[in-house]
Amino acid sequence: MSYKVAVVGATGNVGREMLNVLAERQFPVSEVVALASTRSVGKEVYFGDKALKVKALEYYDFKGTDIVLMSAGGNVSKEWSPKIAAQGALVIDNSSAWRMDREVPLVVPEVNADALSDVKKGIIANPNCSTIQLVVALKPLHDAATIKRVVVSTYQSVSGTGKDAMDELFTQTRAVFVTDPIEPKIYPKRIAFNVIPQGGTYLDSGYTTEEFKMMAETQKILDPDIRLTCTVVRVPVFIGHSEAVNIEFENPITASKAREILRASPGILVVDKREDGGYVTPVEAAGEDAVYVSRIRKDPTVENGLDLWVVSDNLRKGAATNAVQIAEVLMNRKLLKKAA
Amino acid sequence: MSYKVAVVGATGNVGREMLNVLAERQFPVSEVVALASTRSVGKEVYFGDKALKVKALEYYDFKGTDIVLMSAGGNVSKEWSPKIAAQGALVIDNSSAWRMDREVPLVVPEVNADALSDVKKGIIANPNCSTIQLVVALKPLHDAATIKRVVVSTYQSVSGTGKDAMDELFTQTRAVFVTDPIEPKIYPKRIAFNVIPQGGTYLDSGYTTEEFKMMAETQKILDPDIRLTCTVVRVPVFIGHSEAVNIEFENPITASKAREILRASPGILVVDKREDGGYVTPVEAAGEDAVYVSRIRKDPTVENGLDLWVVSDNLRKGAATNAVQIAEVLMNRKLLKKAA
């Protein structure tokens, strides 16, 4: 059994990574199609060693396509995902368009794969990058000691914003070196040799949209009773999101017990030596699929508290890898129907 | 009345800034002397427009010197501060050597200037850079609603580590551009386009020394009943430390009340518009003396909670400016004796 797969938004950071991950994990494909907006038509992207010519989403006939991996932004997804699903393909969407829809499962396979048994609209949502790595780390600890409250501060790389943001970091950094003037375009302020405490736009609550996503998505995926507050900060890193995570538990859990539990949990690599460099940083996580957990230590300021440091490649486990893993679970559980 | 002032460690990041701040604030000096280790002897540093030739600490006679601003590291301070104080000069020390000594006041003038009335050893300690900006922001909120617990994540610039660390960020960044190999020397891992969750060295608790300083110093300066946990992270920024701060209060306090209180508090500038760019980032704080507070918002996950974002120039308010302010308070309160 093999499947016809289309990647929508194939020229973007995540789209290209989806093609890489499909090839690397040898997902059983009969055909892979790269789609994007009309202005990208004719560009080449790679599926393994094979160059694919990009076709226009607008004119593509999805009849016969089994799986569509979408990474084309919220507005495109709102318009196209239902149309594509109506043609019989299953859509795994990386935008925020469907995540909070009650009839759309929001899935991180290590955490809530069972939600895949009820795909009402033919659409499955991939959570936000910073949420995925967080819930992978929280899930086994929640099972062990019941999480009450989480305080997260993020150190998010520019690749999460897109290719233009990576170019902006590169160009601005060079401008600092040659003392050229710097004009921010993608971000509201300079990102080179700076940090920006804004992800997305402001909500009335004073939180930003990126912060709200982490709070709401964690509750939907993991447990609606978990209280979470966070500050999302963009840092001058190309790939890899980091998170400083403070957790308050209902029940006692020691740092060494947490370390042992995390070591035995799916999708996690614990790197935690209490010596110089005994932790993972984003440049080391880039290109990898694991969620890395470091700096696991007791927080003595609450009865049952832990602090930890969580890093992952936001384009892979934070997006592309998670989407392909969802497709793999559906396939393995025989929930993936062949299109007519 | 004017004073003979010596700056020890005058060629370092903080030492040079101490000379700048003394000149800018027109501290009444009869003479300013620049001291450093023997290997810096003969180098020139600037006090305003005036070039000073650096002299050797080891051979300097402190008789007649009224105030010594020390920024020469913990070991030098341990050896020299008592010797200098014994010669009648008042030492304001920027290292960690004396901060937790019960007979040494640890002072941020906006927070606990009254501790200056009891200088037993002739030594006053300047707190750690990341602690100073934090307690300036916390103090008025603590007065208003009593802080119970604080969770801090820092985004600390490389200048806090010293000039070599600034060179390392510069050199490594250039190496990334020309794809030269990168060998970390000052930091345990690459800092260019990366973040490093380690400040100082590890303690048995799993916290680092830089994290422990923030916890212990905040309690000594502000209130021993405040519980504080933190994660210290080095980011590829040259100057300016940022902090994501989550606060739990004993009593109710709204975000708008906090904003109003902070606006009226000494040493603080509130920049907090809920729109793109409506906050302060480190590149904007560099060269300034204020502690900037932004992103003040209600944290709904506890009964009385607030989140905020605090930025300041770690070399100025975080070190040099605070030291000179201490000297100013002593002078204004007539606590500064002329040396014999």
Side-chain angles (χ1 to χ4, degrees):
Chain A
M1 183 87 94
S2 64
Y3 302 90
K4 183 172 177 183
V5 179
V7 172
V8 178
T11 59
N13 278 342
V14 172
R16 285 178 299 171
E17 207 63 43
M18 284 168 162
L19 291 167
N20 287 339
V21 173
L22 282 169
E24 282 173 30
R25 297 176 76 102
Q26 301 181 291
F27 192 85
V29 295
S30 53
E31 191 186 345
V32 175
V33 179
L35 302 173
S37 66
T38 45
R39 97 191 124 83
S40 291
V41 168
K43 282 188 185 167
E44 281 191 346
V45 291
Y46 279 84
F47 171 66
D49 295 336
K50 197 180 160 195
L52 305 178
K53 280 247 193 280
V54 173
K55 296 177 184 175
L57 165 64
E58 209 176 328
Y59 305 110
Y60 191 72
D61 180 357
F62 284 93
K63 216 170 286 171
T65 303
D66 302 298
I67 304 167
V68 175
L69 303 180
M70 288 275 284
S71 184
N75 289 333
V76 174
S77 178
K78 259 182 203 149
E79 181 187 346
W80 283 91
S81 293
K83 289 189 199 172
I84 295 169
Q87 287 193 268
L90 184 89
V91 177
I92 302 173
D93 178 46
N94 194 51
S95 82
S96 62
W98 304 96
R99 290 182 190 149
M100 299 315 293
D101 187 313
R102 281 160 192 260
E103 297 191 336
V104 172
L106 180 66
V107 177
V108 177
E110 294 88 340
V111 180
N112 65 335
D114 289 349
L116 292 171
S117 58
D118 190 23
V119 182
K120 286 195 182 73
K121 290 187 171 167
I123 303 170
I124 296 159
N126 214 29
N128 201 29
C129 41
S130 51
T131 306
I132 291 177
Q133 66 183 68
L134 179 68
V135 296
V136 167
L138 294 184
K139 161 73 173 165
L141 300 175
H142 187 50
D143 287 347
T146 311
I147 294 174
K148 284 161 64 176
R149 179 173 180 250
V150 189
V151 181
V152 185
S153 302
T154 74
Y155 303 70
Q156 293 184 218
S157 70
V158 297
S159 58
T161 311
K163 277 190 300 183
D164 291 348
M166 297 176 82
D167 290 344
E168 179 149 301
L169 172 56
F170 191 87
T171 309
Q172 287 186 358
T173 304
R174 193 172 48 196
V176 170
F177 272 76
V178 300
T179 64
D180 268 355
I182 290 176
E183 275 178 56
K185 283 173 195 156
I186 304 296
Y187 294 115
K189 303 219 171 180
R190 169 179 145 183
I191 184 65
F193 302 114
N194 202 21
V195 300
I196 303 176
Q198 182 187 349
T201 53
Y202 275 89
L203 299 169
D204 286 344
S205 61
Y207 284 99
T208 60
T209 47
E210 191 80 3
E211 288 161 354
F212 179 77
K213 285 177 196 172
M214 183 179 280
M215 304 188 257
E217 294 179 18
T218 298
Q219 292 186 331
K220 178 165 174 176
I221 299 165
L222 191 49
D223 189 335
D225 288 337
I226 290 177
R227 288 168 284 144
L228 189 148
T229 179
C230 63
T231 301
V232 162
V233 181
R234 200 65 66 174
V235 296
V237 167
F238 285 105
I239 295 176
H241 287 359
S242 309
E243 295 169 347
V245 184
N246 178 270
I247 315 172
E248 201 179 334
F249 296 90
E250 191 69 44
N251 304 312
I253 180 166
T254 64
S256 59
K257 184 70 188 167
R259 200 172 290 111
E260 184 189 306
I261 289 167
L262 290 166
R263 272 193 213 287
S265 298
I268 295 176
L269 282 175
V270 173
V271 177
D272 192 20
K273 289 188 181 165
R274 291 181 173 181
E275 62 186 38
D276 282 357
Y279 42 78
V280 167
T281 64
V283 292
E284 298 160 296
E288 304 295 327
D289 282 322
V291 172
Y292 294 90
V293 184
S294 304
R295 303 234 36 222
I296 304 161
R297 60 202 191 278
K298 179 183 167 62
D299 166 13
T301 70
V302 285
E303 203 181 341
N304 303 310
L306 287 178
D307 278 303
L308 34 99
W309 174 253
V310 180
V311 185
S312 195
D313 182 327
N314 52 296
L315 301 178
R316 291 182 65 98
K317 182 56 188 168
T321 303
N322 197 72
V324 175
Q325 284 174 320
I326 289 172
E328 289 170 348
V329 172
L330 291 167
M331 183 176 66
N332 294 335
R333 296 193 178 182
K334 317 225 179 292
L335 294 166
L336 204 53
K337 292 181 190 74
K338 286 290 293 175
Chain B
M1 185 87 94
S2 63
Y3 302 90
K4 183 172 177 183
V5 179
V7 173
V8 178
T11 59
N13 278 344
V14 172
R16 286 178 300 171
E17 207 62 43
M18 283 168 162
L19 291 166
N20 287 339
V21 174
L22 282 169
E24 282 173 29
R25 296 175 77 102
Q26 300 182 293
F27 191 84
V29 295
S30 54
E31 192 186 344
V32 176
V33 180
L35 302 172
S37 66
T38 45
R39 100 191 122 83
S40 292
V41 168
K43 281 189 186 168
E44 281 191 346
V45 291
Y46 280 83
F47 171 66
D49 294 337
K50 198 180 161 193
L52 304 177
K53 280 245 192 279
V54 173
K55 296 176 183 175
L57 165 64
E58 209 177 329
Y59 305 112
Y60 191 73
D61 181 357
F62 283 92
K63 215 170 285 171
T65 303
D66 302 298
I67 304 167
V68 175
L69 303 180
M70 289 274 285
S71 184
N75 289 333
V76 175
S77 177
K78 259 182 204 150
E79 182 187 346
W80 283 92
S81 293
K83 289 189 199 174
I84 295 169
Q87 286 193 269
L90 184 88
V91 178
I92 302 172
D93 179 45
N94 194 51
S95 83
S96 63
W98 304 96
R99 289 181 190 150
M100 298 315 293
D101 187 314
R102 280 159 191 262
E103 297 191 335
V104 173
L106 180 66
V107 176
V108 178
E110 294 88 340
V111 179
N112 65 336
D114 289 349
L116 292 172
S117 57
D118 190 21
V119 182
K120 286 195 182 71
K121 289 186 171 168
I123 303 170
I124 296 159
N126 215 28
N128 201 28
C129 42
S130 51
T131 306
I132 292 178
Q133 67 184 67
L134 179 69
V135 295
V136 167
L138 293 184
K139 162 73 172 166
L141 300 176
H142 187 49
D143 288 346
T146 311
I147 294 173
K148 285 162 63 178
R149 179 173 180 249
V150 189
V151 182
V152 185
S153 302
T154 75
Y155 303 71
Q156 293 185 217
S157 70
V158 297
S159 58
T161 311
K163 277 190 300 184
D164 291 348
M166 297 175 82
D167 290 345
E168 179 149 302
L169 173 55
F170 191 87
T171 308
Q172 286 186 359
T173 305
R174 195 172 46 197
V176 171
F177 272 75
V178 300
T179 63
D180 268 356
I182 290 177
E183 277 177 55
K185 284 174 195 157
I186 305 296
Y187 294 115
K189 304 220 171 179
R190 169 179 146 184
I191 184 65
F193 302 113
N194 201 22
V195 300
I196 302 176
Q198 182 187 348
T201 53
Y202 274 89
L203 299 170
D204 286 344
S205 60
Y207 284 98
T208 61
T209 47
E210 191 78 4
E211 288 161 354
F212 179 77
K213 286 176 195 171
M214 183 179 281
M215 303 189 257
E217 294 179 18
T218 298
Q219 292 186 330
K220 178 165 174 176
I221 300 165
L222 191 50
D223 189 334
D225 288 337
I226 291 177
R227 288 169 283 144
L228 189 147
T229 180
C230 63
T231 302
V232 163
V233 181
R234 201 66 66 175
V235 295
V237 167
F238 285 105
I239 295 177
H241 287 359
S242 310
E243 295 169 348
V245 183
N246 178 270
I247 316 172
E248 200 179 335
F249 296 90
E250 192 69 44
N251 304 312
I253 180 167
T254 63
S256 58
K257 183 71 188 168
R259 201 172 290 113
E260 184 189 306
I261 289 167
L262 290 166
R263 272 194 213 285
S265 298
I268 296 174
L269 282 174
V270 173
V271 177
D272 192 19
K273 289 188 181 164
R274 291 182 173 181
E275 61 187 38
D276 281 358
Y279 42 78
V280 167
T281 65
V283 293
E284 297 160 297
E288 305 293 329
D289 282 323
V291 172
Y292 294 89
V293 185
S294 304
R295 303 232 40 220
I296 304 162
R297 60 203 191 277
K298 179 183 169 61
D299 166 12
T301 70
V302 285
E303 203 181 341
N304 303 309
L306 288 177
D307 279 303
L308 33 99
W309 174 253
V310 179
V311 185
S312 194
D313 182 326
N314 52 295
L315 301 179
R316 292 183 64 99
K317 182 57 189 169
T321 303
N322 197 71
V324 174
Q325 285 174 321
I326 288 172
E328 289 171 347
V329 173
L330 291 167
M331 183 175 68
N332 294 335
R333 296 193 178 182
K334 316 226 180 292
L335 294 166
L336 204 53
K337 293 184 188 73
K338 286 291 293 175

